[in-house]
């Protein structure tokens, strides 16, 4: 039986071609393709990880980075616990567009959302300047990590960091209840009570 203690919804966002779908396949299925198809809608994959003797089921949503499909993805922020904002270390414009994505997070996600910034394709020669990244990280205080979907580099660390942060900031504060707790107040996606309040405020 597929048992777990907590279910966490994680959203991958960022400009087209930065490697969101590749990160997901590499992390969940240990597979990588040099040629991928542009994502046009949204899709998710599930993976269960153990942390502090608890089983965390991660529901990781992959969104479309291309402008034409972006509006479709806005509703997918609902109930999201953590966002992974990806840019491509080899394409400066994808780093410049991080500002756009941060604004989108502010407009669509709950205030207590956890954000991680990812510079992907670190197996290739980098074009984005270290100083620019350092400045952004310092100003925004968002945790940053470099990854390679191709080499499955730092992906475990990235997702473990997210689980750790969710555990520290939400679960230990009693904002979440275990999946198997005898209560129907818990949403399937592990939405916290405060998230629900915020969502109500947005929608009504
Ligand atoms: P959209 O679906 O359009 O938003 O793009 P995406 O962010 O999902 O990018 P995708 O995963 O489709 O990757 C785009 C291209 O980059 C593909 O050719 C991948 O093989 C390549 N790629 C992704 N990650 C890496 C990486 O870490 N290293 C290298 N060398 N190539 C990568
Ligand atoms: Mg994709």
């Amino acid at each position: 039986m597929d048992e777990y203690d907590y279910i966490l919804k994680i959203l991958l966002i960022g400009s087209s071609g930065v490697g969101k779908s590749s990160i997901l396949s590499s992390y969940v299925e240990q597979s990588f393709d040099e040629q991928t198809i542009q994502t046009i809608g949204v899709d998710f994959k599930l993976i269960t990880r153990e942390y502090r003797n608890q089983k965390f089921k991660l529901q990781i949503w992959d969104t479309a980075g291309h402008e034409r499909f972006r509006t479709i993805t806005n509703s997918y922020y609902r109930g999201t616990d953590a966002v992974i904002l990806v840019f491509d270390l080899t394409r400066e414009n994808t780093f410049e567009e991080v500002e756009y994505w941060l604004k989108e997070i502010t407009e669509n996600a709950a205030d207590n959302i956890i954000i991680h910034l990812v510079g992907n394709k670190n197996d290739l020669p980098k074009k984005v300047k270290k100083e620019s990244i350092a400045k952004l990280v310092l100003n925004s205080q968002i945790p940053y990590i470099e990854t390679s979907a191709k080499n499955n580099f730092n992906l475990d660390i990235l997702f473990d960091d997210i689980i750790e942060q969710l555990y520290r900031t939400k679960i230990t504060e009693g904002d979440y209840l275990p999946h198997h707790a005898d209560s129907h107040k818990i949403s399937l996606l592990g939405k916290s009570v405060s998230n629900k309040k915020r969502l109500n405020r947005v929608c009504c």
Side-chain angles (χ1 to χ4, degrees):
M1 208 173 107
D2 183 20
E3 289 197 352
Y4 56 91
D5 299 300
Y6 297 94
I7 184 159
L8 304 174
K9 182 179 172 183
I10 301 171
L11 201 62
L12 279 159
I13 63 165
S15 301
S16 186
V18 296
K20 300 177 296 296
S21 302
S22 303
I23 287 173
L24 188 57
S25 306
S26 186
Y27 178 62
V28 176
E29 291 150 357
Q30 286 77 50
S31 77
F32 175 80
D33 286 319
E34 293 286 352
Q35 303 294 328
T36 55
I37 299 164
Q38 195 174 62
T39 306
I40 55 164
V42 283
D43 190 16
F44 72 86
K45 291 188 197 296
L46 296 166
I47 185 168
T48 307
R49 300 281 292 188
E50 213 163 309
Y51 177 76
R52 295 194 197 233
N53 293 323
Q54 308 265 29
K55 277 200 176 138
F56 290 83
K57 182 174 261 202
L58 309 185
Q59 189 185 64
I60 312 168
W61 290 76
D62 179 24
T63 63
H66 196 285
E67 270 172 74
R68 267 195 302 159
F69 312 114
R70 279 182 195 172
T71 48
I72 301 169
T73 63
N74 288 356
S75 60
Y76 289 90
Y77 282 93
R78 236 167 250 192
T80 296
D81 300 299
V83 173
I84 300 173
L85 203 181
V86 187
F87 68 92
D88 181 343
L89 287 161
T90 72
R91 282 162 57 218
E92 278 174 313
N93 65 308
T94 67
F95 177 72
E96 283 152 18
E97 283 160 14
V98 163
E99 287 293 335
Y100 162 86
W101 292 106
L102 284 174
K103 193 164 163 274
E104 209 199 62
I105 295 170
T106 313
E107 283 167 7
N108 293 285
D111 301 347
N112 61 349
I113 195 109
I114 284 165
I115 308 167
H116 281 243
L117 182 67
V118 168
N120 188 42
K121 306 194 190 180
N122 97 327
D123 55 287
L124 296 174
K126 294 166 200 169
K127 291 265 174 60
V128 182
K129 291 193 186 73
K130 266 189 192 158
E131 300 74 37
S132 311
I133 301 171
K135 198 171 153 194
L136 176 72
V137 170
L138 200 71
N139 287 340
S140 65
Q141 296 288 303
I142 295 171
Y144 172 68
I145 193 165
E146 289 190 0
T147 60
S148 165
K150 184 172 181 174
N151 296 341
N152 200 323
F153 175 71
N154 270 350
L155 298 183
D156 282 351
I157 292 177
L158 165 66
F159 284 94
D160 283 356
D161 276 358
I162 290 171
I163 296 172
E164 156 77 23
Q165 207 181 340
L166 283 166
Y167 188 87
R168 267 192 293 114
T169 61
K170 294 188 173 180
I171 292 166
T172 50
E173 285 171 10
D175 215 4
Y176 279 38
L177 292 171
H179 158 72
H180 44 63
D182 187 23
S183 166
H184 291 290
K185 281 182 224 148
I186 324 158
S187 91
L188 182 68
L189 298 181
K191 263 185 268 176
S192 64
V193 174
S194 51
N195 273 357
K196 279 183 192 155
K197 277 185 192 153
R198 288 195 180 90
L199 282 170
N200 284 343
R201 204 182 59 208
V202 171
C203 76
C204 312

